[in-house]
Amino acid sequence: GASSGLRIQREYSMTKLFPCLKISCEIPAEVDDIMDVIVNSPELFNESLQKFEIIEKISEKCCIQYAQHKSSGWFSSHRDSVLKVSWGLLDGGMGMVTMQSTGLVDVPVQPGFVRMKVFLAGYLITPSLDPLKKCCNVHYTVHGDLKGWIGAMPRAVAEKYIVNSLAANLLGLRDLFVTKQYVPVEYDKMLSAMRISASHASNVSSMNKYKSMRKIHEALGDQADEKAKALCSMTSKMGSFDPSFWTETPIHDEPFKVRGKNYLKDHVKIKTDSTVAKLVAVDLFETTERVDHIASRDDNLRHTLQKSDLLRRSKTQSDDKLEDLCSEDDISEKNASDVLFIMHFQVPGPPFYSLVLYFSIPHDKLDLEKPFGKLFQDFVTKNDESRDTRVKLIPRVVEGNWFVKKTVGETPAILGKKLKQRYYGDGETYVEVDCDVGSSSVARSILGVVKGYAKTLSIDLAILLESHQESELPEELIGSVRLIHPDLDKAVTLV
């Protein structure tokens, strides 16, 4: 309603039964203050709460909350929820709080209560562009199933109930801060004493197929070159991850923007509709712990790829840290050949996941007289501190709800400035970049949102090296993958 200052948006594409609802309004407070109340004191603005407790602290920016909600008055049972709550600041000073139902803590359902399912609830808090204006635009999104007979009601009726609840919560939050402008709030008297204490899935058929490929590689041995060519020619997609869930991004039709030739002078970005490398394979593994330097494993796909016509190379180097092996003398024209660029996203758990992207960089792209050749040489010959300023990710949610699109965004990110990265390889046959997504609380929060909606999302991940000098411009994408409704249950168990 216009009179209340609330704006309501619905998305029905997420599920047939339960719409994703968003409601937003302006609140006269700063980002940190709003986040603090949402996370630690929701009973101050949510009148439906009859019990609230933070039952476990997972990290500084993540906890498990238990809440009991009063009956709607429609002769229905009370509702309760057990939520994993994460929060933090995004680029531009925007705050984010995400909430999802979790089974990490076993909390029995009390008599007279129905446990509702929250696919995603969250707040995006955007500060005013005017630094003198102390206010934020708060977007509140809920996508869930109330369960019980309310959840089984016609969608229009259930939606009305949810919209009313959202509106009451957000107006309560706004009124809390509006009232604070006129009447001092004695929080010590209002707050209850609260203390913050702080699927395994295996795809047998995929694993058998994966192991068979490795056995073929082992059986072929040193005479694998010609036979590996035939093996690779059978399919344009390799790797353990089901090819129906990924493809190369069609950037000719949907280009990305990168730094142009004169970017250091005019800051103009240009559209690029090509990549330096070809995406040749994708692996998705489930593990019991984080796996580092995955290309060093005897069963890794790198060995098969390097014996195929995708990577025309016979000489291999020892699997050591990248900085221990590369020098400018090593990256010479006589030694240059196709290079496998392996981008390894380490997803925190449990269960842990490894998303591994294999890009083949052709020989002619490594010419030291060309911008990318110079840039790549600098990347492999410098130390890890320098590399941390180079690897850039451009995300793009092609299909997904509003909250996911807003949370992920499309802003390029220098991964090494936000996340812990490790670098391996010899620089001549392959380079592996391990990106530890779990090393950042904000990244974990964003990942939690994405994982919860993975089966309904299509998302592009474009990888490039950032250019710092004029001789390295214009920028060129190494490659890009489009993940299409990825199903994490299809991950191969790595032992």
Side-chain angles (χ1 to χ4, degrees):
S3 60
S4 64
L6 297 175
R7 299 174 296 280
I8 300 172
Q9 178 179 329
R10 301 165 177 81
E11 290 192 30
Y12 295 102
S13 59
M14 304 306 299
T15 173
K16 294 180 179 180
L17 295 178
F18 311 107
C20 183
L21 299 170
K22 184 192 76 172
I23 190 166
S24 58
C25 74
E26 185 178 278
I27 293 180
E30 296 182 346
V31 173
D32 288 339
D33 295 332
I34 296 174
M35 280 202 302
D36 181 63
V37 171
I38 291 172
V39 173
N40 296 306
S41 312
E43 76 278 8
L44 292 180
F45 63 89
N46 187 345
E47 294 184 355
S48 73
L49 281 180
Q50 66 179 33
K51 181 178 180 180
F52 167 77
E53 183 181 2
I54 298 177
I55 58 178
E56 184 175 333
K57 181 179 180 180
I58 298 177
S59 67
E60 184 180 352
K61 298 291 184 180
C62 183
C63 67
I64 305 294
Q65 293 181 352
Y66 173 71
Q68 292 181 350
H69 304 266
K70 300 174 184 177
S71 169
S72 65
W74 291 1
F75 305 102
S76 63
S77 300
H78 300 300
R79 296 296 190 274
D80 72 354
S81 60
V82 180
L83 304 176
K84 180 180 178 182
V85 182
S86 303
W87 63 94
L89 293 176
L90 305 177
D91 292 339
M94 182 170 64
M96 177 186 68
V97 181
T98 62
M99 306 172 181
Q100 292 174 299
S101 289
T102 180
L104 292 177
V105 178
D106 184 18
V107 181
V109 180
Q110 299 298 315
F113 283 85
V114 173
R115 178 68 47 83
M116 60 182 177
K117 175 75 172 180
V118 178
F119 306 125
L120 169 70
Y123 297 83
L124 285 176
I125 308 161
T126 57
S128 171
L129 295 176
D130 184 352
L132 300 179
K133 191 175 181 182
K134 187 180 178 180
C135 71
C136 294
N137 201 19
V138 179
H139 308 272
Y140 181 31
T141 299
V142 171
H143 184 207
D145 180 1
L146 291 171
K147 298 295 184 179
W149 67 267
I150 290 182
M153 289 189 304
R155 186 170 67 184
V157 179
E159 179 185 323
K160 181 178 180 180
Y161 172 82
I162 299 173
V163 168
N164 289 341
S165 298
L166 263 66
N169 286 350
L170 201 56
L171 287 174
L173 182 62
R174 185 182 68 180
D175 290 345
L176 176 66
F177 287 101
V178 169
T179 302
K180 189 177 179 181
Q181 292 181 328
Y182 302 98
V183 180
V185 178
E186 297 180 3
Y187 281 98
D188 291 339
K189 294 182 179 180
M190 296 182 64
L191 296 178
S192 60
M194 293 182 295
R195 182 178 300 172
I196 303 180
S197 56
S199 45
H200 178 74
S202 175
N203 188 313
V204 177
S205 60
S206 293
M207 187 58 186
N208 290 338
K209 178 181 177 182
Y210 178 71
K211 288 182 176 178
S212 296
M213 181 180 294
R214 301 303 181 263
K215 289 180 179 179
I216 291 174
H217 162 68
E218 294 171 1
L220 292 177
D222 295 333
Q223 300 179 355
D225 291 313
E226 293 302 321
K227 295 181 180 180
K229 291 180 183 180
L231 175 65
C232 292
S233 65
M234 295 178 186
T235 175
S236 60
K237 289 185 176 183
M238 296 184 67
S240 65
F241 196 32
D242 189 328
S244 65
F245 294 120
W246 65 272
T247 187
E248 284 194 278
T249 302
I251 61 173
H252 182 75
D253 299 319
E254 303 173 49
F256 291 90
K257 283 191 173 183
V258 298
R259 294 183 172 189
K261 178 62 179 176
N262 300 312
Y263 180 84
L264 298 181
K265 298 177 182 178
D266 58 23
H267 298 285
V268 173
K269 292 189 175 183
I270 60 173
K271 291 182 178 181
T272 180
D273 60 359
S274 62
T275 61
V276 171
K278 178 178 177 58
L279 178 64
V280 294
V282 176
D283 276 331
L284 180 65
F285 299 117
E286 180 183 324
T287 61
T288 56
E289 60 184 3
R290 193 189 75 210
V291 176
D292 293 334
H293 196 185
I294 199 165
S296 67
R297 291 175 56 99
D298 291 338
D299 59 356
N300 185 256
L301 187 59
R302 169 176 72 92
H303 306 292
T304 300
L305 291 171
Q306 288 180 327
K307 289 182 178 297
S308 74
D309 57 355
L310 296 173
L311 287 170
R312 297 174 297 277
R313 184 81 180 185
S314 59
K315 178 183 177 182
T316 59
Q317 302 279 347
S318 59
D319 295 327
D320 235 327
K321 288 282 290 184
L322 185 59
E323 63 188 280
D324 297 333
L325 290 165
C326 292
S327 66
E328 291 193 14
D329 292 337
D330 293 330
I331 314 300
S332 62
E333 183 174 354
K334 67 177 181 179
N335 287 329
S337 184
D338 289 13
V339 175
L340 197 62
F341 189 93
I342 303 171
M343 192 69 204
H344 178 196
F345 293 98
Q346 300 166 308
V347 180
F352 294 81
Y353 294 96
S354 285
L355 175 64
V356 192
L357 312 178
Y358 301 84
F359 297 97
S360 173
I361 303 177
H363 167 77
D364 61 344
K365 296 295 184 179
L366 300 174
D367 186 345
L368 298 183
E369 297 300 317
K370 297 180 180 180
F372 181 79
K374 294 179 180 179
L375 177 56
F376 188 78
Q377 179 192 42
D378 184 86
F379 177 74
V380 299
T381 57
K382 293 295 178 64
N383 57 26
D384 286 358
E385 183 178 358
S386 173
R387 296 185 188 105
D388 283 344
T389 68
R390 291 292 196 178
V391 182
K392 184 188 293 186
L393 170 71
I394 307 177
R396 181 169 61 192
V397 178
V398 180
E399 180 184 354
N401 71 27
W402 176 90
F403 192 87
V404 175
K405 288 182 178 180
K406 193 70 175 179
T407 301
V408 174
E410 295 186 9
T411 303
I414 302 298
L415 295 177
K417 292 183 178 180
K418 300 175 181 293
L419 303 169
K420 174 63 179 176
Q421 291 192 151
R422 301 168 185 83
Y423 306 90
Y424 305 96
D426 54 35
E428 293 186 1
T429 62
Y430 83 99
V431 172
E432 177 181 339
V433 179
D434 286 2
C435 181
D436 183 3
V437 181
S439 61
S440 164
S441 59
V442 173
R444 285 197 302 270
S445 299
I446 296 174
L447 181 65
V449 174
V450 173
K451 285 174 65 178
Y453 283 89
K455 294 181 182 179
T456 65
L457 293 179
S458 290
I459 185 170
D460 289 333
L461 302 176
I463 309 296
L464 66 156
L465 300 178
E466 181 168 271
S467 300
H468 296 162
Q469 302 176 23
E470 186 174 351
S471 61
E472 299 168 347
L473 292 168
E475 288 181 335
E476 296 180 83
L477 296 180
I478 291 177
S480 180
V481 64
R482 173 166 293 179
L483 302 176
I484 308 167
H485 304 167
D487 186 353
L488 298 182
D489 290 342
K490 302 299 183 181
V492 170
T493 302
L494 197 64
V495 294

